[in-house]
Amino acid sequence: MAEHARRYDELTGLGFGLAAISVDVIERSRALAGQLQLRFPLLCDPGRDVVRAFGVFNEKEKGGIAYPATFVLDRERIVRFRSLDKTASRVDLDALFELLRAGGDASAPAEPRRTRIAPGLRGFGRAIGNMLRYGIKSPKP
């Protein structure tokens, strides 16, 4: 989400909007949005209804959270691209923006490449600090 926030102007410049969905309660989502300085809506789904409907519900982790995923919807709200990602591998934003710029051009790649995510020592330290500060389980609905 942090990279999406950094590239928000570029995305909106292409004519797209952005929203994120969290299974956290509104207070926790607001804190995260503030910490990451998000300029796009972070929607709350503590009942996990939306993440279940979109097929990204991960019941095995932290009491039930969403898998990382990217969906591109057109103006009629039809899903035109969907990437179900993993913790260590996500859709590459440069490649996704290239796909969005192509606007359905047949020469565009069918699916953007993925980027491996390997957090450094600082990332692990932040994750452990957040775990100690906020706990390791999301509140159950």
Side-chain angles (χ1 to χ4, degrees):
M1 248 191 298
E3 185 178 1
H4 289 78
R6 284 191 297 276
R7 298 186 67 181
Y8 181 72
D9 290 336
E10 183 180 354
L11 182 65
T12 57
L14 291 172
F16 291 91
L18 178 64
I21 299 174
S22 169
V23 298
D24 291 329
V25 294
I26 196 164
E27 295 82 12
R28 189 175 272 185
S29 292
R30 275 191 190 140
L32 177 64
Q35 180 184 8
L36 296 177
Q37 299 177 349
L38 301 182
R39 294 184 290 151
F40 52 86
L42 179 56
L43 309 172
C44 299
D45 182 26
R48 281 91 168 146
D49 299 322
V50 175
V51 295
R52 281 187 179 100
F54 272 72
V56 296
F57 183 62
N58 177 359
E59 64 184 273
K60 296 178 183 174
E61 191 172 337
K62 298 181 184 176
I65 62 171
Y67 287 108
T70 301
F71 290 84
V72 175
L73 286 70
D74 66 15
R75 294 194 184 278
E76 287 77 40
R77 298 183 185 138
I78 296 172
V79 176
R80 296 297 179 184
F81 171 78
R82 173 179 143 165
S83 174
L84 301 178
D85 298 325
K86 298 178 179 164
T87 303
S89 174
R90 309 249 172 113
V91 68
D92 180 84
L93 280 187
D94 286 328
L96 178 61
F97 283 13
E98 181 182 325
L99 182 75
L100 296 175
R101 281 186 195 97
D105 182 354
S107 66
E111 171 140 351
R113 69 184 172 274
R114 295 188 180 282
T115 302
R116 297 247 346 126
I117 299 172
L121 185 57
R122 189 177 199 181
F124 278 117
R126 190 171 357 146
I128 290 169
N130 286 339
M131 187 172 57
L132 293 172
R133 184 174 181 189
Y134 299 111
I136 57 173
K137 288 200 173 226
S138 292
K140 294 214 178 212

